[in-house]
Amino acid sequence: MAQCAVCGADVEKTSPEETDYRDEEFAVAQVEYEGVTYEFCSEEHRRAFEETPEEYA
């Protein structure tokens, strides 16, 4: 299981059932930074990361 890049909490992943992405799992929020995909437990933590990515990366 992935961990939130901001707080370290486990990141729940889900698969969108009604799309062509049924076989893939996605975090609630994620951002790509310098070629690495970071996952977050909430949109609030995604925004915090985007404001100061060097603090968390």
Side-chain angles (χ1 to χ4, degrees):
M1 180 171 279
Q3 291 187 320
C4 178
V6 172
C7 71
D10 288 341
V11 174
E12 293 289 328
K13 293 187 176 186
T14 59
S15 298
E17 295 296 324
E18 298 175 6
T19 70
D20 291 334
Y21 297 104
R22 281 185 290 263
D23 297 329
E24 298 181 40
E25 292 186 334
F26 298 92
V28 171
Q30 53 190 28
V31 169
E32 187 170 321
Y33 176 72
E34 294 186 347
V36 177
T37 300
Y38 294 89
E39 299 176 327
F40 308 94
C41 63
S42 68
E43 285 291 328
E44 180 181 339
H45 286 180
R46 179 193 57 80
R47 286 189 297 273
F49 180 91
E50 288 182 316
E51 288 175 10
T52 55
E54 61 281 349
E55 184 177 331
Y56 303 106

